[in-house]
Amino acid sequence: MLTLPNILTLSRILAVPILVFLLWPDPSRLEYGVAFGLYSLMAITDYFDGYLARAQGTVSKLGVFLDPIADKIMVAAVILMLVLNRDVSGYATIAALVILLREIAVSGLREFLAGVQVSIPVSQLAKWKTTFQLISLGAIILGNALPAWAWIETTGLFCLWAAAVLTLLTGWDYLRVGIRHMD
């Protein structure tokens, strides 16, 4: 159970409170910078835990269960802190809300489908959604550490909207599959 991939996944979950602390209201540029470093490390472990599990043949039920939870906890915590700090504000809050709502809905849908023994594989489009989502949040954090480089935060907000659009598309795909298995 305590394989390297599972340890990496658990480390992401355990790092979330530290990330929230660093992004607590009115963080300094240094705190944003440290938060960006921690966030980047967490995002990298998201890639490597799955890669290592498959490469080493150590895919486990615990890892399959915890990995999406770790992702959702990290993304939700960062979005909430960025909205709280008004780093994501105005209409961009709608994009953030779309992402959060989809994560909750898809989690519920996956839980329901698991009960009827139906698995929904992650689509290539969903992987792009995750990529845009991770880049967007990281860029928004980094943009606040380096305010003189406004293009970084602008890129983050653009990627946030791209992630929101892909979120709607992939959420609809998952819902279409799920509806087929509902009475």
Side-chain angles (χ1 to χ4, degrees):
M1 238 167 74
L2 284 180
T3 62
L4 180 57
N6 287 348
I7 291 169
L8 290 173
T9 301
L10 288 169
S11 73
R12 272 203 328 278
I13 294 170
L14 295 174
V16 168
I18 299 167
L19 189 58
V20 168
F21 176 77
L22 289 166
L23 294 172
W24 200 252
D26 297 322
S28 67
R29 290 190 326 189
L30 176 62
E31 288 168 319
Y32 274 116
V34 174
F36 173 74
L38 178 59
Y39 175 83
S40 297
L41 184 62
M42 292 168 73
I44 289 167
T45 63
D46 181 28
Y47 170 77
F48 278 110
D49 61 4
Y51 173 80
L52 290 172
R54 287 184 297 277
Q56 297 174 347
T58 58
V59 174
S60 68
K61 290 179 183 178
L62 178 64
V64 169
F65 169 72
L66 282 181
D67 184 61
I69 290 173
D71 298 344
K72 286 166 185 35
I73 290 171
M74 180 180 80
V75 167
V78 171
I79 286 175
L80 289 173
M81 295 311 297
L82 293 176
V83 169
L84 179 66
N85 287 326
R86 304 206 42 83
D87 300 323
V88 172
S89 62
Y91 290 119
T93 306
I94 295 169
L97 185 61
V98 164
I99 291 168
L100 282 177
L101 292 176
R102 183 258 192 207
E103 295 298 341
I104 293 167
V106 168
S107 292
L109 181 61
R110 284 186 183 276
E111 185 175 333
F112 166 77
L113 291 174
V116 293
Q117 298 181 343
V118 174
S119 175
I120 303 176
V122 176
S123 68
Q124 189 60 45
L125 197 58
K127 290 179 182 181
W128 278 105
K129 184 264 320 171
T130 300
T131 300
F132 274 105
Q133 190 173 274
L134 291 174
I135 290 170
S136 71
L137 300 178
I140 294 168
I141 295 169
L142 181 60
N144 282 281
L146 304 169
W149 296 0
W151 65 269
I152 296 173
E153 190 170 5
T154 302
T155 300
L157 292 171
F158 173 81
C159 288
L160 184 70
W161 279 104
V165 168
L166 293 175
T167 289
L168 290 172
L169 294 172
T170 59
W172 174 249
D173 284 345
Y174 289 136
L175 185 61
R176 280 185 313 137
V177 170
I179 286 174
R180 288 189 229 142
H181 301 282
M182 295 180 187
D183 295 299

